[in-house]
Amino acid sequence: MKKAIFVGLAIFAVSTSGALAAKKTAKPKAPAAAPTTNTGAAPPMMMGQVSAADRELYAKSQRESGMKK
């Protein structure tokens, strides 16, 4: 039973990896974006972006818990 599941999973993985590889090569590459100059104005805060205070709190929590970067 386990062997049949393993063989089926292996066949599925091999068959989908080829299809995904062919799909990736079919996409045309986007042209390089032209360099832009910064006018100095900061973009408005959007939903989901973190503030500097949030980043500082995150870094402090990482240090206090002993996690490395």
Side-chain angles (χ1 to χ4, degrees):
M1 176 76 176
K2 289 181 184 178
K3 185 177 180 180
I5 293 173
F6 181 76
V7 170
L9 185 61
I11 292 171
F12 177 74
V14 170
S15 65
T16 57
S17 65
L20 291 175
K23 193 174 193 180
K24 286 182 182 177
T25 57
K27 289 184 181 179
K29 292 188 177 184
T36 60
T37 58
N38 189 1
T39 60
M45 287 290 289
M46 298 177 125
M47 296 296 284
Q49 288 184 336
V50 295
S51 65
D54 289 336
R55 285 190 199 110
E56 290 175 17
L57 181 61
Y58 177 76
K60 179 182 173 189
S61 298
Q62 293 291 325
R63 283 191 305 272
E64 288 177 352
S65 67
M67 295 200 51
K68 296 180 182 179
K69 284 189 175 184

